[in-house]
Amino acid sequence: MSPRGVATPDVRERLFAAAERVVERDGPGALTSRAVTTEAGCAKGLLHAHFAGFDEFAAELCLDRFARTAGKARALAGLAGRGTVAGNLDAVVSVLFDSGGPAVSGLVMARPAAALRVREALEGGAPGFAAIEEAVAGYLAAERDLDRVPAGLDPATTALALVGASHHLLMTSWPGSPDPRPAVRRLVTALVGTEAP
């Protein structure tokens, strides 16, 4: 436990990681500010010292994870011609489902103030599904130019199908439900015609 008055490094990420562990282990209903700070091993008031309330915390956690996935999607551009197309796409989509992603998204959707905050941030340009879709489409266009996917593949439509299906699975999954990643891998194989490693 961090003593009072001592700076806690990387507070946001420490609290976010703790929240993901709580959700993964106990489900979204167990996620409270006290559960998060206890899991993080820090002072009880630390969460409220860095966030205006629990709704802001939940929204920022969701937005942070969207941004992480969007960053991974943008990195696809550098992978054109390397690895397998399906493996590269799978790595991006898997980030959405890692560390309790479905439960965190479900938590935000169940909290109207947090959901509104996320929607406003996305409308204001925060990276979300649209940024991921755009990056995937750009990557697929580059792979098509390298003849690593079928010549008739439509990158924008394929990206929409992949990201849209991932969004659906993210919003309809919960702790204890079947792992959505195998379904995404099958979809990637059907769309681009290659298998993940």
Side-chain angles (χ1 to χ4, degrees):
M1 179 82 61
S2 300
R4 289 186 91 152
V6 174
T8 304
D10 302 320
V11 172
R12 285 173 54 94
E13 184 52 39
R14 184 173 175 180
L15 292 171
F16 290 165
E20 289 176 328
R21 289 192 302 273
V22 170
V23 167
E24 239 176 49
R25 184 182 61 238
D26 304 322
L31 195 62
T32 63
S33 57
R34 181 174 296 274
V36 171
T37 55
T38 298
E39 181 70 25
C42 59
K44 302 294 181 223
L46 189 65
L47 186 144
H48 293 286
H50 290 273
F51 299 93
F54 196 72
D55 283 328
E56 179 181 279
F57 172 77
E60 290 297 317
L61 169 58
C62 187
L63 289 166
D64 181 81
R65 291 342 192 205
F66 280 158
R68 178 186 290 183
T69 306
K72 185 103 172 158
R74 284 190 295 273
L76 279 172
L79 296 177
R82 297 179 17 213
T84 67
V85 174
N88 292 339
L89 292 173
D90 181 63
V92 170
V93 175
S94 290
V95 174
L96 282 171
F97 300 109
D98 288 342
S99 303
V104 169
S105 295
L107 169 73
V108 169
M109 297 309 294
R111 300 181 72 91
L116 176 62
R117 192 174 190 88
V118 168
R119 189 177 77 229
E120 288 172 344
L122 294 174
E123 288 172 353
F129 286 107
I132 298 165
E133 184 182 328
E134 183 179 310
V136 168
Y139 166 72
L140 288 170
E143 292 287 23
R144 186 183 59 192
D145 292 345
L146 294 170
D147 295 324
R148 288 181 17 113
V149 295
L153 181 128
D154 178 343
T157 301
T158 304
L160 174 62
L162 178 60
V163 175
S166 299
H167 180 258
H168 166 74
L169 291 168
L170 185 66
M171 295 299 154
T172 58
S173 296
W174 56 89
S177 65
D179 184 353
R181 288 172 285 207
V184 173
R185 289 185 186 109
R186 288 191 302 274
L187 177 62
V188 167
T189 300
L191 291 171
V192 300
T194 62
E195 297 201 12

